[in-house]
Amino acid sequence: MEIKIDDLSGDQVARLIGEHLQSMELHSPPESIHALNLDKLKKPDITFWSVWEQEELLGCGALKELNAHHGEIKSMRTSSQHLKKGVARKLMEYIIQEAKRRGYRRLSLETGPMEAFAPARKLYESVGFQYCGPFAEYVEDPYSLFMTKEL
């Protein structure tokens, strides 16, 4: 598996982000969807990575800088053909190390409480994220759970 910074210009990445957004629409009302589209992922405060095995896209994830000491995990997604192969874990560990390298003291994320998000929550818990209240611009929402990790 190769993890690399991605400029979000490739068709495979666009399709995976599209799949991610469609999945969010299936499980959350529109006002509770916090997933970012391609244009929003291209903002200068976000670094986006893709995970590849030769020419095949396995997954993706992003890190948004909230401030000099706090980052947010965004757009974690494994391609449906590569679930349960360790793609998300490897990328999550990579992003955690990058956050530490940047000097962040905390990483946070928003996810859903529904059963569809259970595998993601299990992964986040396994790497040390704990449940917390809303952070940054988020507000309490029955369709959102918030997690954070001290680095």
Side-chain angles (χ1 to χ4, degrees), residues 114-128:
M114 293 73 80
E115 186 59 30
F117 298 95
R121 291 192 309 269
K122 184 177 177 183
L123 169 66
Y124 303 143
E125 290 168 358
S126 75
V127 296

Side-chain angles (χ1 to χ4, degrees), residues 10-62:
D11 291 341
Q12 288 185 68
V13 169
R15 281 193 299 275
L16 187 58
I17 295 300
E19 179 183 318
H20 182 59
L21 293 171
Q22 284 180 324
S23 178
M24 298 303 107
E25 290 171 3
L26 287 175
H27 302 290
S28 300
E31 67 275 9
S32 297
I33 296 174
H34 304 289
L36 302 176
N37 64 26
L38 285 172
D39 287 337
K40 290 181 180 175
L41 285 167
K42 292 178 183 178
K43 301 281 184 186
D45 59 344
I46 296 176
T47 305
F48 183 87
W49 290 274
S50 53
V51 183
W52 298 85
E53 195 162 85
Q54 290 158 26
E55 300 300 315
E56 190 168 1
L57 179 63
L58 307 182
C60 64

